[in-house]
Amino acid sequence: MTDDFQFHPAPDAGVGELGGVLQATLPLLSQLLEAVPARVVVIDVDERLVWANHEFFKFTGLHPKQVLTQPIGRILGDVAYAGYRAVRERLATGQTVAWEGWTELAGVGRRYMREHLVPVNVQGGIPQATVAISLDLTELKRRDAELSHKVAELEATQALKSSIFDHAMAALVSTDDGGHIVEFNPAAAAMFGLPRDEALGRSVADVMIPPRLRAAHTAGMARVSAGGEQRIIGQRVEMTALRADSREFPVEMVLWRTDVAGRIFYTASLFDLSERQSARSEIERQREALRQSEKLTAMGSLLAGVAHELNNPLSIVMGRAALLAEKLGGHPLAGDATRIHEAAERCGRIVRTFLNMARSRPANRSEIALNDMATAAVDMLGYALRSHGITVSLALHPSLPAVTADADQIGQIVLNLLVNAQQALGTRDGERRLSVATGLAPTAEQDRRRTQRVWLHVRDNGPGIPAELRERIFEPFFTTKGEGIGTGLGLAVSRSIARDHGGELTLLNDGQNGEEGACFALQLPVSGQPEGGETEPAPLADSDERHARVLVVDDETEIAELIGEMLATAGYEVMTAESGAVALAMLAEARFDAIVSDLHMPDIDGAALWREVKRQQPSLARRMIFVTGDSLSPTARQFLDETRCDSLNKPFAKAELLSRVTELLSR
């Protein structure tokens, strides 16, 4: 210690008792107090600084000669001195006073101090000296404040993180570098069906990864841990995850890496794609349905045009075959003519069936016997079935009720099912069996008021329908047949017809009870009426109607001649016109009782002809019948509905034509 820092008493400090005490203890006190890491000063009875250790002068930056013997108030400054004066009364009692807090020191500024004031030799309530021991805790206090601020910020950050993490809609899962879960938010708990407490600490592979994918996951983690390529970090990837109940589901994941205090963590944000994939599948299904609908629409337009072209020659074939059969009478060739007629009639029914589907035409329903439909279809395909080595068995319910249905359409369903079975059996070696059965579906007691249903089963012992295709076989244009065999429309059209009749067409479960092949089941509601025979055309009345004069108008000469010959053989007087213009000219020259006209013709078509006839001969306009290949086209349907004129669809039978004309003339 230099002389500058030695005790320098005030001029009168050595006089009296205080001076004696200080002089006696000075060497020991100096050594002791200089070693204390605190600031120590001694104040005399007159509040003058009479001694200070080295720490004091270092702290204040003052020289002993500047402060010794100076009033303490001048050294400390007004603020700090005011604090000293505030505790003098307590010092007067001989108590040691301790205080801590912020104060303003002259020449030093605002500091945080901890101080003990020790009174010495209190006489008459006045300390003869006061020893002040103080520590400057400013930096410590500032560090504490900074630390508190950081702790507060950390707590706020943690609260914000928890708020975001816990309320995030995405599943968030964090793991350490060993793949063990350290965070598992509520969304993740809901997604995986696993409480957070049960997930923490477990391997992410065991919790989230399907067993078949865990080896690849482990290999990827090992590659990243070894400093290898981080292939999926920061990338959106779709993967398969595992729920707690062992169900797999699709997720989209984004993975990122975080370094915290030298440790590595990985956090995955996951979104459940189950609903998205379901929606995507539904959109694709609807898109496919739309494509199929567009195909059907295009097919309907095509069929309408084709039907018009086919129906004219079919009408000629049917009509000429029927007339030929009549002319041959009992001749052996009459049977051939009849078979030609039946084949052409079948072609006509097929065309009408497709047109009904394309044009959404209501069926022409009457009381029919399902057993007769089955027998007729088997007879029609008899040769084809026999030539393919197929044994056919019939098990028809003997008293099956009649159903109200369109005979052509239901016959087409049965025929289609038999053709499908024949084609399926063509791929089988060995015995080939086909069975057709009918019956009455049982009705539960509580459902007695509901309409009963009859059923028809067509079963074969072929290869059957694969399980994965059973839901698709009724889709339009879908087929299990080889290329060039079938269009994929048969079952779709058949089911549509069945449902339009209030019934259903289904595939029974293959292989049940050890049975082979496939079995298709048609169900139709019972009409409640007894089975009846075919309706015969109304006979011609014994009146002048038999000798009525009929005008036949058709731009197809052969059709006009055919209709004319059919009517002439029934006793009508017939004249033909090859166009609407010729027909009008003939109407001006002669009287006619009825007109049979084609609807679609060049120049003056059927509609224009009707309007002109209505203007000239209103009563005759009510006795016009129009022949058309497609009465369900929008223009034809609108015209026929507005005029309430009768129509006859091509191809037609002679009996149907005569029945319509007879009815027309009776009005």
Side-chain angles (χ1 to χ4, degrees), residues 202-221 240 242-243 246:
R202 293 178 59 185
S203 169
V204 70
D206 294 340
V207 172
M208 296 169 45
I209 309 298
R212 59 189 175 84
L213 301 176
R214 287 174 186 168
H217 169 79
T218 303
M221 290 288 294
T240 302
L242 184 71
R243 301 191 199 275
S246 299

Side-chain angles (χ1 to χ4, degrees), residues 285-298:
R285 187 193 67 77
Q286 292 180 1
R287 185 180 291 117
E288 179 63 23
L290 179 60
R291 284 197 293 265
Q292 300 298 347
S293 177
E294 290 174 347
K295 287 181 182 179
L296 287 174
T297 301

Side-chain angles (χ1 to χ4, degrees), residues 246-278:
S246 299
R247 289 184 296 121
E248 296 185 6
F249 67 105
V251 297
E252 182 182 63
M253 181 188 72
V254 178
L255 183 69
W256 66 90
R257 168 177 166 161
T258 307
D259 294 341
V260 180
R263 295 187 62 189
I264 298 173
F265 296 90
Y266 296 95
T267 300
S269 175
L270 302 115
F271 296 88
D272 190 341
L273 298 182
S274 299
E275 291 187 4
R276 187 187 303 178
Q277 287 198 357
S278 296

Side-chain angles (χ1 to χ4, degrees), residues 440-483:
L440 189 63
T443 305
E445 187 64 34
Q446 62 271 24
D447 295 335
R448 288 297 183 191
R449 293 184 180 180
R450 294 181 59 189
T451 302
Q452 286 186 305
R453 303 170 79 84
V454 296
W455 54 261
L456 177 141
H457 292 179
V458 177
R459 181 184 296 278
D460 63 73
N461 68 330
I465 308 297
E468 65 274 12
L469 300 181
R470 292 174 192 167
E471 296 298 323
R472 300 197 59 195
I473 58 174
F474 291 102
E475 295 179 8
F477 300 102
F478 177 81
T479 179
T480 59
K481 302 169 186 176
E483 185 176 355

Side-chain angles (χ1 to χ4, degrees), residues 10-20:
D12 58 351
V15 181
E17 184 177 354
L18 176 60

Side-chain angles (χ1 to χ4, degrees), residues 142-155:
R142 287 175 178 170
R143 286 196 297 270
D144 286 346
E146 290 177 359
L147 181 60
S148 297
H149 181 68
K150 289 181 179 179
V151 169
E153 286 185 341
L154 182 61
E155 290 176 348

Side-chain angles (χ1 to χ4, degrees), residues 370 397 399-404 438-444 447-457 495 497-506 521-528:
L370 191 58
H397 193 288
S399 57
L400 196 66
V403 296
T404 300
T438 59
L440 189 63
T443 305
D447 295 335
R448 288 297 183 191
R449 293 184 180 180
R450 294 181 59 189
T451 302
Q452 286 186 305
R453 303 170 79 84
V454 296
W455 54 261
L456 177 141
H457 292 179
R495 171 174 275 188
I497 293 172
R499 289 178 173 177
D500 187 52
H501 281 75
E504 185 60 274
L505 178 64
T506 58
L522 170 66
Q523 281 202 12
L524 294 171
V526 172
S527 66

